[in-house]
Amino acid sequence: MNAPLLVLCALGPEAWALRGGDWSGAAGGPPVLARTGMGRRAAGPRAAALLEIGGYGALLVAGFGAAVGPGVRPGEVIVADRVTDPEGAVHPLGTAPALATALEEAGLRVHLGTHRTADHVVRGAERARLHAEGALAVDMEAAAVLAARAAHAPELPAAVLRVVVDTPERELVRPGTLPAGFRAWRVLRAAVPALTAWHRQLAAAPRPLTSTQPSTLPQEAS
């Protein structure tokens, strides 16, 4: 039996972009879309509460992010094949190539590689250091969400994508300032059909559900 996709994002503009996308034909019906709030301290408990409900077909962390090295432009998409955190935890994501292919087939420019979750906005020399360690993107929530998945739903397929808002050459002044925000917002909305295609591929191989399917979309966090 198909089950809905659980989509988690941190910010209101991300949720707005995703809610307005074309989810027609989504496996399991409309997605369960929720905001976690910004940062690991907010995202971890929110994700854990949702995952304890269960009944999802897959987990997707989606939204805006920052590139940490050259060669990536605002509006391009970075799909994580693994996510790391400052404590050294590593969360591999085996479905990443399939998601990257679906996004490319939708006409988007996609990069595949490591995402680093940080506890602060990363700038300057710290970005260069993370890039030297192999990271392509940095965010503030994904590792906490994936840690919650490991604790509450370890068999649930998961993926992480970030639409690039800023780069080392064009950094954010503060988290709420999005210099390339409108472009990233349009790309995130345009990515929705590719997200449903990826989820349908996963749904083609039935998996046992651990709980009852949620019947309504959760309210967004304020």
Side-chain angles (χ1 to χ4, degrees):
M1 182 175 67
N2 291 339
L5 177 64
L6 174 61
V7 183
L8 300 182
C9 58
L11 304 174
E14 297 168 336
W16 181 27
L18 289 163
R19 281 192 181 278
D22 180 8
W23 293 99
S24 60
V32 179
L33 174 60
R35 288 176 58 193
T36 64
M38 183 180 290
R40 291 199 289 171
R41 289 185 179 181
R46 178 65 165 145
L50 288 163
L51 290 167
E52 284 180 349
I53 295 171
Y56 312 112
L59 167 66
L60 176 69
V61 181
F64 307 137
V68 298
V72 181
R73 294 179 294 181
E76 296 180 348
V77 182
I78 303 180
V79 174
D81 58 9
R82 66 174 189 161
V83 175
T84 65
D85 69 21
E87 291 74 42
V90 179
H91 303 275
L93 295 165
T95 68
L99 177 57
T101 296
L103 291 162
E104 288 173 343
E105 289 176 349
L108 301 178
R109 172 71 171 169
V110 182
H111 306 265
L112 184 65
T114 298
H115 286 210
R116 176 63 172 263
T117 295
D119 291 320
H120 55 276
V121 176
V122 175
R123 298 188 176 93
E126 188 176 3
R127 288 200 193 199
R129 177 178 61 79
L130 292 178
H131 182 61
E133 294 173 357
L136 290 185
V138 62
D139 67 22
M140 297 175 65
E141 296 83 28
V145 173
L146 294 175
R149 166 185 169 256
H152 298 281
E155 301 303 317
L156 188 68
V160 175
L161 73 86
R162 298 296 182 186
V163 179
V164 174
V165 171
D166 71 322
T167 67
E169 298 81 15
R170 192 174 183 180
E171 293 187 346
L172 291 177
V173 176
R174 59 184 183 276
T177 302
L178 304 178
F182 184 59
R183 180 187 301 173
W185 185 90
R186 288 189 301 173
V187 169
L188 188 57
R189 176 164 288 190
V192 168
L195 308 183
T196 63
W198 167 76
H199 184 213
R200 283 196 300 268
Q201 288 181 354
L202 297 178
R207 296 176 178 83
L209 301 179
T210 58
S211 183
T212 303
Q213 177 176 327
S215 59
T216 60
L217 297 181
Q219 295 296 314
E220 292 184 4
S222 58

